[in-house]
Amino acid sequence: MSAVATRVGRKRMLSEYADWTDRIKNGELPPAPTRPTGMERNVVITQWDWATPKEYFHDEISVDRRNPSSNPNGLVYGVHEDSSDFMTVLDPTKNSFTQVKIPVNPGTPMAEPEELLEPSPYWGNEPVAISHATAHSLMMDSKGRIWTAAATRPRENPDSCKKGSSLESAMVLPIANSSRQTNFYDPKTGQWTLVDMCGSSQHLMFAEDANNTLWFSNPGGDNVGWLNTKMYDETHDSVKSQGWTPFVLDTNGNGKRDEYTEPGQPMDPTKDMRIKVGFYAVSPSPVDGSVWGTVLGFPGSIVRLNPGSDPAHTSLAEIYEVPWNNPKAPVQGFSPRGMDITRDGVIWTVLSSGHFASFDRRKCKGPLNGPTATGQHCPEGWTLYRTPGPSFQGQTEYGSADTNYYNWVDQFDTFGLGKNTPIATANDMDALEALDPTTGKFLVMRVPYPMGFFAKSMDGRIDDPKAGWKGKGLWSTYATRTPWHIEGGKGTTSKAVKFQLRPDPLAN
């Protein structure tokens, strides 16, 4: 927060916050959101308390995302990133939750320093952020095990990751440190398994392949990593089962990866070109096995990785910048964050410019590799939809006072709006937003109480395909880092939230 204040302009930011606080104190209010109309009146919201008043959730998971019927009426899992070293487990059929301790190896550093700079008005000198594992995101596999992106050890990597290693990926791009690795929890045995990884992890996603490959994002790095979980289950050898690759553009256009220039070097027409990017979101495509991710920043971009037969050596990347100041693009936008993909390979991402954007590679008219394919070569692939959240006064084209943090695609119609419906989080309007791309209209699913619903993740589950709307729904959670700022104040806990869509407001 302090770093952001410096970038924005500390004096200006503090004066704006002071003015904002005085205006609220004097009774000024922002425009009230409209009351639900039409289909919005059909949304049913169910909530459960889970975790403790000092724990915030980063992500939750209720199902193997590749099979929405895989965990019917089952447990829902959530992790707490910096706030604690627990995974919280909700049993929605018993309206109860338990917590499971996440283990780490000795020497794993804490996420936050132990000393307090100032006493908290809520907690005094009592520490709040006490996590070592910093479990950020989680996924369920086909066996019902829960995999998380979490720290398992000190940050220095073993020799197998570094220069001089015989591991293929390390010979291509050695990695000295990693901040998070991965682990998994087996509910059947109650046991955790720590899996050492060379590349850092933040988000993770299973591919639909024979190896059940688990891909990891690493927004601060310059590579993307994976774990062959089938091989790991058979061998328990994390070194042989993992790999990573740099991002290399085929700028010489010959269709294969050759010798490449390094980031910052001028383009060489005889070579390929490595780019220094790292995925924030990550989504393997169900269409062709490619792996897509978002790149933070301005204007930001999405990147497609074609792993090839030997990813450490054969993978090739394509980069598509969000259209900004591009005369060929009908709408300008910037700065993606979350991302997901449809069953037919269309990418959806939320933009800080106040847009929900799709990218369809099939619409590209020019070459997808070669010396001109360096980012701004396919504006026709992008379609931007203005999100309905609050904006700044006088601003209509871009810029938003809302925060669309992440998004998810309902590939299997687990909610009731149809297959491949894109849904975004609307964090400054306490809602999820489902888009109908054919009309450009949003269904706003606002959580009215307690105020402060701030989602980071969501997924959908089918509990009973014969039960109509009652047998399926979306799952999310209150994920603000300060649950004591939710309506109700100190003592209020985060909530697990289930969204369902009935056929009419009075349906049983």
Side-chain angles (χ1 to χ4, degrees):
M1 293 170 65
S2 179
V4 170
T6 299
R7 290 201 300 269
V8 172
R10 185 176 294 271
K11 184 177 180 180
R12 173 68 181 272
M13 176 177 277
L14 292 176
S15 65
E16 292 290 344
Y17 277 131
D19 176 65
W20 180 52
T21 304
D22 289 342
R23 287 157 56 195
I24 293 173
K25 183 179 179 181
N26 292 330
E28 187 172 342
L29 295 172
T34 58
R35 292 185 61 82
T37 59
M39 195 179 294
E40 292 175 358
R41 299 174 64 225
N42 302 352
V43 177
V44 177
I45 296 171
T46 309
Q47 296 184 0
W48 291 262
D49 289 325
W50 62 338
T52 70
K54 290 192 294 183
E55 289 176 305
Y56 70 85
F57 285 88
H58 199 281
D59 286 1
E60 55 68 42
I61 196 71
S62 71
V63 73
D64 178 354
R65 286 185 40 155
R66 301 164 295 181
N67 178 7
S69 300
S70 60
N71 187 34
N73 297 303
L75 304 176
V76 181
Y77 302 84
V79 288
H80 303 285
E81 199 183 30
D82 292 354
S83 57
S84 82
D85 282 328
F86 287 98
M87 179 171 68
T88 296
V89 185
L90 172 71
D91 187 336
T93 64
K94 296 180 180 179
N95 299 315
S96 63
F97 72 85
T98 56
Q99 292 195 302
V100 181
K101 181 78 171 180
I102 303 174
V104 297
N105 285 306
T108 304
M110 285 184 65
E112 301 287 346
E114 294 186 54
E115 69 274 10
L116 298 175
L117 300 179
E118 292 285 345
S120 163
Y122 291 91
W123 305 107
N125 291 315
E126 188 178 353
V128 176
I130 56 173
S131 174
H132 293 78
T134 63
H136 185 277
S137 301
L138 68 174
M139 283 290 151
M140 183 183 295
D141 68 13
S142 59
K143 299 178 181 180
R145 301 177 300 183
I146 309 302
W147 293 76
T148 85
T152 65
R153 56 164 172 80
R155 294 186 175 182
E156 184 177 356
N157 277 342
D159 290 342
S160 58
C161 308
K162 299 177 181 179
K163 187 175 181 179
S165 169
S166 60
L167 189 63
E168 291 294 324
S169 291
M171 289 191 286
V172 174
L173 188 71
I175 303 177
N177 299 282
S178 61
S179 57
R180 289 188 183 96
Q181 297 77 42
T182 192
N183 57 28
F184 65 86
Y185 175 75
D186 189 341
K188 296 177 182 177
T189 63
Q191 298 298 312
W192 285 93
T193 299
L194 306 185
V195 183
D196 205 352
M197 299 287 291
C198 296
S200 296
S201 63
Q202 184 156 351
H203 295 99
L204 64 171
M205 192 79 70
F206 280 101
E208 299 183 25
D209 62 8
N211 292 324
N212 286 309
T213 306
L214 187 57
W215 289 86
F216 300 91
S217 75
N218 177 16
D222 58 358
N223 63 84
V224 61
W226 64 87
L227 180 72
N228 181 333
T229 65
K230 180 177 182 291
M231 180 184 292
Y232 182 80
D233 284 340
E234 293 171 350
T235 65
H236 304 290
D237 189 330
S238 64
V239 175
K240 292 182 179 179
S241 303
Q242 69 175 295
W244 63 94
T245 184
F247 294 97
V248 178
L249 303 181
D250 181 21
T251 47
N252 65 15
N254 66 358
K256 61 186 181 71
R257 195 165 106 185
D258 305 300
E259 183 181 356
Y260 49 80
T261 61
E262 293 295 333
Q265 294 180 348
M267 183 183 296
D268 184 331
T270 67
K271 298 180 179 180
D272 292 333
M273 181 172 70
R274 182 167 81 90
I275 55 175
K276 191 179 188 310
V277 297
F279 283 170
Y280 183 78
V282 60
S283 290
S285 171
V287 176
D288 58 9
S290 61
V291 182
W292 292 78
T294 49
V295 178
L296 303 180
F298 183 88
S301 59
I302 57 173
V303 171
R304 176 184 186 266
L305 184 81
N306 179 9
S309 59
D310 180 13
H313 298 280
T314 61
S315 64
L316 283 171
E318 300 166 8
I319 186 168
Y320 301 95
E321 289 185 355
V322 179
W324 173 253
N325 199 26
N326 188 326
K328 296 182 179 180
V331 180
Q332 311 294 322
F334 52 83
S335 300
R337 194 166 186 133
M339 189 204 73
D340 204 4
I341 191 168
T342 65
R343 298 301 299 175
D344 57 355
V346 177
I347 304 300
W348 285 91
T349 181
V350 286
L351 305 179
S352 295
S353 52
H355 296 95
F356 203 179
S358 70
F359 179 80
D360 189 342
R361 183 173 176 265
R362 298 169 297 185
K363 294 181 179 180
C364 296
K365 298 177 181 178
L368 302 180
N369 52 41
T372 63
T374 57
Q376 288 284 349
H377 56 292
C378 184
E380 63 272 12
W382 291 90
T383 305
L384 275 59
Y385 303 83
R386 195 80 167 95
T387 53
S391 188
F392 299 103
Q393 288 184 356
Q395 183 57 264
T396 58
E397 294 184 10
Y398 54 83
S400 178
D402 198 1
T403 303
N404 299 109
Y405 173 85
Y406 221 88
N407 62 275
W408 172 77
V409 173
D410 190 0
Q411 297 180 353
F412 302 99
D413 191 21
T414 60
F415 185 59
L417 293 175
K419 294 181 179 180
N420 292 322
T421 297
I423 304 176
T425 64
N427 301 117
D428 280 347
M429 52 189 283
D430 297 345
L432 302 180
E433 298 171 337
L435 172 65
D436 181 351
T438 61
T439 65
K441 294 182 179 180
F442 286 86
L443 172 69
V444 178
M445 296 177 278
R446 184 170 285 108
V447 179
Y449 179 83
M451 289 191 295
F453 175 64
F454 185 111
K456 289 192 176 82
S457 70
M458 69 188 98
D459 64 348
R461 187 169 79 187
I462 299 174
D463 295 318
D464 183 354
K466 299 179 181 179
W469 71 271
K470 292 184 179 180
K472 58 185 180 179
L474 308 181
W475 288 89
S476 189
T477 184
Y478 281 66
T480 173
R481 279 181 162 82
T482 53
W484 50 90
H485 286 171
I486 297 171
E487 184 177 8
K490 184 178 179 180
T492 303
T493 66
S494 293
K495 318 294 180 187
V497 187
K498 185 178 183 180
F499 297 81
Q500 295 172 290
L501 186 67
R502 55 192 173 186
D504 63 77
L506 300 179
N508 292 323

